[in-house]
Amino acid sequence: MVLALVLFGKPVSTFAFIDNGFYISVHKCRKLLKESKQAILVDVREKKQFESYRIPGSIHVPLHFIKARSFLKGKPVVLVNEGYRSDELEALAGELNAEGFQLQILSGGLNAWNRSGGKLAGNLYEAKQLNLISPQECFLKQTATNHLVVDASPDPMPESLPLIPGMVQVAFSDAKGGASELVKAILTRNSVAPFAVLITTKDGHGYEKLEKTLLSEGITNMFFLDGGLDRYRQFTDEVAVMKNPSVKTVAGGGCRTCPGFAHDDSIATDQ
């Protein structure tokens, strides 16, 4: 199987791990840590996640507490999360850098660090799952512009498209053409490489093969929707019911007011 990754006529070797604005690549981050004794890696994930696995030498500071940590001001600080959601990090860096902080964001986060051969401390088994994105995380980032969601199910269902705004569907298979179409969809959807690509399938199966295929061609900053679109649909159904208890859910999953649900009056609903 051969895939060609080309962006503006040039091969893409390390997809989406870039230095751009507030972002610093893993390579430059390592160089910074080596050359500056004052440089600090600040992990802004939840404490439980940090305790589970982390970059050796990093410290844990919740995002909303960074401004109050005066010892960070005036020093090179690299903010670290899993690499998928960065909107809040960008906002904070913009605000605090104007006040004398020197904040940068690790491009691709822990996912990029790990894929680039960087060491992690803690529970390495759990660290292997860091590229799995929960339905909740996906829901929170669904309108962001710095990522792309691709449904790579063997037989994508058009009625699933409204589930995640901007999602594209490409039927992935072992065939050369199917793989090439997947890469083409990733590259042509964005004028520049997105910070992250979220891959999903209908049932959350087939990720290992997809990951291997894309890694072989340099697409590294990829994540996978845990449980696929089926679990995501279930999550959005639950959200809809919480917001409006009068919403009728359909036996076996789905709700009549949720995006992507194929209305069928022959399906019985709970009264």
Side-chain angles (χ1 to χ4, degrees):
M1 182 187 304
V2 179
L3 294 93
L5 280 180
V6 180
L7 187 61
F8 302 126
K10 299 180 180 180
V12 177
S13 58
T14 306
F15 188 78
F17 294 165
I18 60 176
D19 295 281
N20 178 20
F22 297 123
Y23 292 86
I24 181 172
S25 67
V26 171
H27 173 73
K28 288 191 176 181
C29 179
R30 286 175 177 163
K31 184 178 180 181
L32 173 66
L33 293 171
K34 184 177 180 179
E35 297 177 350
S36 175
K37 294 183 178 180
Q38 289 191 319
I40 303 174
L41 282 177
V42 176
D43 194 315
V44 299
R45 295 174 301 146
E46 294 181 5
K47 185 177 181 179
K48 183 178 180 181
Q49 294 174 312
F50 174 78
E51 291 175 344
S52 177
Y53 57 86
R54 60 209 164 275
I55 297 175
S58 62
I59 65 173
H60 176 254
V61 181
L63 194 62
H64 56 282
F65 283 156
I66 289 179
K67 185 175 183 178
R69 299 295 190 263
S70 58
F71 71 92
L72 295 176
K73 194 170 185 178
K75 298 179 181 178
V77 173
V78 179
L79 304 179
V80 180
N81 65 358
E82 80 291 334
Y84 183 63
R85 295 179 56 204
S86 57
D87 310 65
E88 292 182 340
L89 277 66
E90 288 185 18
L92 184 76
E95 175 189 345
L96 297 189
N97 285 355
E99 300 178 12
F101 283 82
Q102 299 176 29
L103 304 181
Q104 290 182 288
I105 303 167
L106 183 62
S107 181
L110 285 167
N111 189 43
W113 182 274
N114 187 42
R115 291 195 185 282
S116 300
K119 293 183 179 180
L120 293 177
N123 190 325
L124 299 185
Y125 176 78
E126 290 190 13
K128 290 182 180 180
Q129 309 299 314
L130 66 85
N131 65 347
L132 280 179
I133 299 302
S134 69
Q136 295 92 327
E137 290 177 286
C138 178
F139 185 79
L140 289 172
K141 193 180 171 72
Q142 62 177 323
T143 58
T145 58
N146 61 350
H147 83 311
L148 175 67
V149 182
V150 180
D151 174 11
S153 303
D155 297 299
M157 301 174 64
E159 58 266 32
S160 296
L161 279 172
L163 276 174
I164 304 176
M167 180 172 70
V168 297
Q169 293 182 320
V170 179
F172 175 80
S173 67
D174 289 332
K176 177 180 177 180
S180 298
E181 285 301 312
L182 175 61
V183 174
K184 180 180 178 181
I186 292 173
L187 295 181
T188 59
R189 183 75 178 199
N190 297 270
S191 58
V192 296
F195 294 126
V197 177
L198 179 63
I199 304 293
T200 185
T201 59
K202 179 183 180 299
D203 53 11
H205 295 161
Y207 287 162
E208 185 175 348
K209 185 178 294 183
L210 282 159
E211 182 176 26
K212 183 178 180 180
T213 297
L214 296 180
L215 278 176
S216 68
E217 296 300 326
I219 297 183
T220 48
N221 198 21
M222 71 183 103
F223 296 84
F224 298 90
L225 182 59
D226 193 12
L229 292 173
D230 286 346
R231 186 174 299 176
Y232 186 78
R233 186 190 300 275
Q234 181 181 1
F235 172 77
T236 57
D237 289 352
E238 293 169 353
V239 171
V241 171
M242 285 189 291
K243 288 184 177 181
N244 182 6
S246 65
V247 170
K248 296 182 178 181
T249 58
V250 179
C255 75
R256 291 189 174 274
T257 60
C258 292
F261 175 72
H263 296 268
D264 184 346
D265 291 336
S266 66
I267 301 178
T269 58
D270 298 328
Q271 299 297 325

